[in-house]
Amino acid sequence: MTHRIDYATVAPEGYKAFGNVYATLQNGSVPKALVDLAYLRVSQINGCAFCIDMHSRDLLKSGLAVDKLVLVPVWREAGAVFSTRERAALAWAESVTRVAESGVSDADYAAATNEFSEKELADLTYAIGLMNAFNRFGVAFRSTPAAAKA
C-alpha cells in the first residue's frame, strides 16, 4: 500500500485543531485507558491500520494485558474480561461509529448513561467522533502503521 499525502504537513491548521481536541480528551473526564480502548474499537470497525497499530501499542504500554487486547473485536463474547463500564463504552463506540447503518439504539444509550455521567458521555462521544475523523484521514491517505515501517 502506497502512502498518499502527509495531511498533517500539507494542512497543519486542521491537524492542529484536531490535535487540540485529542489533547483535551487526554485530560478529560474519562480515563485515558478507557478512551484508548474506544479509539481502538472505532479504528477496528473503520479498518484504519495506522490507528489500530498506534492504539494497540498505547494500550500495551499502559499495561493492558495482551489477552484482553486480542479480545477487543469480540468483546461481547469475552465474558467478564471487560468490566461493565468498558462494555458500555465499547457498545457506545460501536453504535456511534455505525450511526449511518443502525442509528444509536435506546439500549446502548441506556447502558452508557448507567455507567457515565453526562460530562463523561459527552467526552466519550467527542473521542469517538474524533477517532472516526482520524480514521478517515488514515484510510484515505493510507497512513503507514509503525509495524510496516519496522
Side-chain angles (χ1 to χ4, degrees):
M1 176 170 68
T2 304
H3 180 76
R4 291 178 174 167
I5 65 170
D6 181 352
Y7 61 91
T9 300
V10 299
E13 300 83 6
Y15 184 75
K16 183 178 178 184
F18 279 105
N20 287 337
V21 175
Y22 182 84
T24 298
L25 293 168
Q26 292 298 294
N27 299 309
S29 64
V30 180
K32 182 183 181 318
L34 192 54
V35 170
D36 285 343
L37 198 61
Y39 284 161
L40 176 60
R41 186 64 192 121
V42 168
S43 299
Q44 290 170 336
I45 292 166
N46 290 324
C48 182
F50 178 86
C51 294
I52 291 168
D53 181 72
M54 180 175 65
H55 299 301
S56 294
R57 291 171 189 273
D58 288 346
L59 285 160
L60 289 170
K61 285 179 195 170
S62 73
L64 186 74
V66 172
D67 293 347
K68 190 169 185 173
L69 178 71
V70 299
L71 291 173
V72 171
V74 292
W75 64 269
R76 291 180 194 273
E77 289 80 31
V81 171
F82 295 92
S83 70
T84 303
R85 190 167 166 89
E86 289 169 331
R87 288 193 304 270
L90 290 166
W92 189 248
E94 289 181 359
S95 192
V96 172
T97 298
R98 293 181 171 138
V99 68
E101 298 167 26
S102 56
V104 177
S105 75
D106 290 339
D108 287 341
Y109 180 74
T113 57
N114 283 337
E115 292 297 323
F116 298 101
S117 70
E118 288 182 351
K119 168 79 167 114
E120 289 172 326
L121 189 55
D123 284 350
L124 181 59
T125 308
Y126 279 126
I128 294 163
L130 176 69
M131 193 47 50
N132 272 286
F134 272 130
N135 290 165
R136 275 126 182 93
F137 290 116
V139 172
F141 298 125
R142 297 184 177 159
S143 298
T144 306
K149 296 176 185 178

